[in-house]
């Protein structure tokens, strides 16, 4: 699945509600999910990890939509040509 | 670009270094980037936002790689069929 396709899917499912809540309120949900991912990483349960990684990606996508950002475009622009600092793959930054 | 392709790109660029640093240290970098995204959202500068969204996605991908999670697989599994709670698109949860 393309990054853009996932962002569109999350928009179709949640954009109306999330944009009505607004950037600040939606950021609170995102931050809560980041906390849940942190807890799952600490615990190491694979099923919990799978769900929490999916949730953080979904909330990141909805935040990007509210902010008018195309996640795939910005991710490719920054990382497709290698490390943004040194340009190498693998990164050779000191 | 597919989610899986982006995760593989980040692995090619950073996995050796990030996995050597370990999950806990890499989580600190991820959390720092989340903070930078929060600041960019507060400021609303589009160029800064683009870079910070890309960075959070990249650090999320590298954390997933260290944890043995395929981001595309877990994202599709949880969200492709609609809202995980109510099953609808758009979400109809109360």
């Amino acid at each position: 699945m393309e990054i853009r396709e996932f962002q569109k899917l999350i928009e179709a499912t949640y954009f109306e509600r999330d944009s009505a809540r607004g950037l600040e309120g939606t950021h609170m949900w995102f931050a809560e999910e980041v906390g849940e991912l942190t807890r799952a990483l600490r615990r190491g349960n694979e099923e919990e990890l799978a769900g929490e990684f999916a949730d953080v990606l979904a909330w990141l996508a909805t935040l990007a939509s509210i902010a008018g950002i195309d996640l795939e475009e910005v991710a490719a622009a920054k990382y497709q040509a290698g490390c943004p600092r040194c340009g190498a793959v693998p990164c050779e930054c000191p």
Side-chain angles (χ1 to χ4, degrees), chain A:
Chain A
M1 179 184 283
E2 293 185 348
I3 297 170
R4 181 167 294 122
E5 188 186 345
F6 183 74
Q7 186 171 357
K8 294 289 178 199
L9 172 67
I10 296 300
E11 283 181 12
T13 312
Y14 298 111
F15 185 73
E16 192 174 352
R17 181 175 303 200
D18 290 349
S19 62
R21 183 191 304 114
L23 179 67
E24 294 177 11
T26 302
H27 175 271
M28 291 187 74
W29 281 83
F30 167 70
E32 181 173 330
E33 290 300 334
V34 168
E36 291 180 10
L37 173 60
T38 296
R39 186 176 53 199
L41 287 166
R42 188 170 53 71
R43 290 176 174 168
N45 174 285
E46 194 169 345
E47 190 179 348
E48 190 185 354
L49 275 171
E52 298 303 341
F53 270 108
D55 288 346
V56 171
L57 184 59
W59 284 96
L60 184 67
T62 210
L63 263 187
S65 296
I66 292 174
I69 295 289
D70 180 325
L71 260 190
E72 177 167 322
E73 183 183 324
V74 300
K78 187 152 187 179
Y79 288 100
Q80 200 156 33
C83 173
R85 288 179 189 245
C86 72
V89 177
C91 167
E92 294 173 355
C93 290

